[in-house]
Amino acid sequence: LARRHERLFALHRSGDRAAYFALNQEIHDRIVELTRNAALVAIYRGFAGKIRRARAQANYDSTRWDQSVREHVAIMRAIKRRQAEILANRLRDHSAATGRAVTRQLSSSRKD
């Protein structure tokens, strides 16, 4: 995870959104797999697949992309420090912010 996160950060700095998004998906998938919770993995994969395009488009908002990177840094810090409660809060906040961005993206797509 740490190596992938470092590559993710480099992709953000270089502005390579497509590669960033692909690697970001790998990281999210890996974190869910590490829970070893088959029900969670199945639910996540089903849900993530349905909103993948909207998530990718939401990252084209530079403000959200920058915010997401900061959230990832905080998540990785909590993982490295084994701070379970802080990690849970960071993951919840990141998911909520992503959810709001996806909802905005889906709403604007319907208006087009």
Side-chain angles (χ1 to χ4, degrees):
L1 281 177
R3 284 190 306 270
R4 287 177 181 161
H5 182 258
E6 287 178 24
R7 284 196 329 250
L8 189 74
F9 204 70
L11 290 169
H12 177 260
R13 281 193 310 268
S14 73
D16 189 342
R17 290 178 194 265
Y20 174 94
F21 184 72
L23 182 56
N24 186 42
Q25 286 300 129
E26 282 182 35
I27 292 170
H28 280 234
D29 291 346
R30 186 66 182 134
I31 289 172
V32 173
E33 288 169 4
L34 287 170
T35 67
R36 296 187 180 117
N37 181 327
L40 177 63
V41 170
I43 290 167
Y44 174 79
R45 286 189 179 149
F47 183 72
K50 291 177 183 173
I51 64 165
R52 185 165 303 219
R53 183 170 182 255
R55 284 188 65 223
Q57 290 175 332
N59 271 343
Y60 278 88
D61 173 342
S62 293
T63 301
R64 175 63 195 137
W65 194 23
D66 294 344
Q67 177 187 13
S68 184
V69 169
R70 288 190 301 274
E71 291 164 1
H72 288 168
V73 169
I75 289 166
M76 288 304 298
R77 185 179 308 121
I79 289 171
K80 287 178 184 177
R81 294 178 179 170
R82 299 183 181 273
Q83 297 171 318
E85 188 173 337
I86 292 171
L87 174 60
N89 290 333
R90 299 296 177 259
L91 289 169
R92 183 198 63 230
D93 294 347
H94 179 62
S95 294
T98 299
R100 288 189 299 273
V102 167
T103 300
R104 282 191 302 273
Q105 179 59 38
L106 291 173
S107 293
S108 71
S109 294
R110 277 189 264 154
K111 294 175 186 174
D112 294 340

